Amino acid sequence: MPNTLTGINPEVLRWARERSGLSLSDVARKFGKSPAAISDWETGGKAPTYVQLEKLAYQVYKRPVAIFFFPEPPDEPNKIGEFRTLPASERERLSSDTRYVVRLAETMQIALRELNSGVNPSPRKIFDDVLTFPNEPSDRLAERTRTYLGISIEDQRNWSSTGDALDSWRAAIEDSGIYVFKRSLKQRGISGFSLMDDQFPVIFLNNSTPSTRQIFTLWHEVAHILFSTSGVTKEDDSFIQLLVGESKVIEVQANAFAGEFLVPSKDFRSQIHSGPYSDDYFNTMADRYHVSREVILRKHSDRGLVTQQFYEDKSREWREQFAASSSSSTGGNYYNTQVSYLGQKFLELVFSRYYQGRIDLSQLADYTNVKARNVAALEQAFMRKLSSS
């Protein structure tokens, strides 16, 4: 029978589980044990074997094994608490995978500080330059933001595809001081999030969602950063009705800003008709702006052109269509995926620091989440991406 370990801190075991948003029953199912058995580990009555501890560390809690031998839980800030425009009940429902990606986002912010000696080097910082004012109409803020970026509605319409539009918006935002990363989130309904910081705010997009959804999420989270708050974009935003005060105002404004920025009202008014509204009509309008049909539908709803019931029914229908048509990912090339996740701006930064001799191969591997022996393969994938751009 495998020997149990000594020296494991039960308090750290409980801390790691709670930070992952898992119950005793959740962890018990992963081991084929009873909740009481996991509770025994956390109270010191029993201890896991090393094999069990490895599974807890790497597969369940995504923590280094050594942390469970610490004399006390790490003094780690809980970034989930910064999503103050998300009701407490919704924060509690964030899955262990989503919580892990939020920790990863914080790790990327730390990396950016280390690589840039604590100062954002971008000559243009949208979160400093584009000021927001109380009760400012969303169309004015959207117009000022578009002017700041120097991208006209004609430029937007001339992009070749939604994928091209997403890449172009991402590049424009990163050139303005906000780093944008991607990750395939397992929790359905979470489209992305942002973590505010006075030097290195970051946005994470759920790469499992359509490009059009990522575009809306990107601008919803830019709004959060302009409002100096961290945020989460959910596919179903009915949670907004549970909010009160400033939190509700921010979420409503973020949605309004994203919709107005991507589909300016002046241009939109010249394209709409009085109905009836078919799927072909919404498809054509969505293609014009490289946005989702939901964005166009919301614009119609906000103007009273469709009923609330029509809006809810059509939104549900389209979500169900997408869920039914989505197939499981084949995985693709790991290094191409990492290039997409990390983005051109970040990869240019880490490789430049490496060639300057400011970081070594081991550090480069840590920053890019690949093994040192595989850095060359990542670099080749990155070079192929640059040459094809």
Side-chain angles (χ1 to χ4, degrees), residues 94-287:
L94 294 177
S95 72
S96 58
D97 175 72
T98 300
R99 291 166 185 265
Y100 167 68
V101 178
V102 172
R103 294 204 329 259
L104 179 62
E106 184 185 13
T107 299
M108 299 308 291
Q109 286 181 318
I110 293 171
L112 289 167
R113 292 189 198 100
E114 292 174 350
L115 291 164
N116 292 292
S117 301
V119 179
N120 192 320
S122 177
R124 287 161 48 88
K125 301 179 185 66
I126 191 172
F127 50 93
D128 285 340
D129 299 337
V130 178
L131 303 178
T132 59
F133 304 98
N135 303 315
E136 180 180 19
S138 58
D139 58 343
R140 293 184 186 176
L141 178 58
E143 184 177 0
R144 290 195 293 112
T145 304
R146 188 179 281 273
T147 300
Y148 177 84
L149 294 175
I151 298 176
S152 68
I153 189 65
E154 288 74 21
D155 295 329
Q156 178 180 344
R157 287 175 52 197
N158 288 331
W159 288 330
S160 60
S161 65
T162 55
D164 183 27
L166 177 57
D167 289 343
S168 298
W169 286 133
R170 182 181 188 180
I173 291 169
E174 292 196 320
D175 284 343
S176 300
I178 301 173
Y179 281 82
V180 181
F181 300 98
K182 292 188 177 189
R183 190 81 179 185
S184 184
L185 297 176
K186 297 177 183 178
Q187 185 173 3
R188 289 188 60 183
I190 302 295
S191 302
F193 63 88
S194 60
L195 287 183
M196 184 54 193
D197 185 80
D198 61 357
Q199 286 293 324
F200 296 104
V202 298
I203 294 172
F204 266 63
L205 303 177
N206 184 353
N207 200 53
S208 297
T209 60
S211 294
T212 51
R213 183 62 188 172
Q214 292 181 53
I215 289 171
F216 180 84
T217 301
L218 184 62
W219 285 105
H220 179 98
E221 295 308 326
V222 167
H224 269 281
I225 291 172
L226 293 179
F227 299 145
S228 298
T229 63
S230 300
V232 176
T233 305
K234 295 194 65 184
E235 185 178 283
D236 179 2
D237 62 8
S238 59
F239 71 88
I240 295 176
Q241 302 307 314
L242 302 176
L243 297 170
V244 295
E246 184 184 16
S247 295
K248 185 171 186 176
V249 169
I250 289 174
E251 281 300 328
V252 170
Q253 288 182 327
N255 275 340
F257 169 82
E260 182 63 32
F261 182 89
L262 292 167
V263 186
S265 290
K266 182 177 180 180
D267 189 82
F268 178 72
R269 284 193 296 267
S270 69
Q271 301 300 315
I272 58 177
H273 64 64
S274 58
Y277 300 116
S278 65
D279 279 7
D280 285 343
Y281 166 76
F282 286 115
N283 290 337
T284 299
M285 290 285 279
D287 288 344

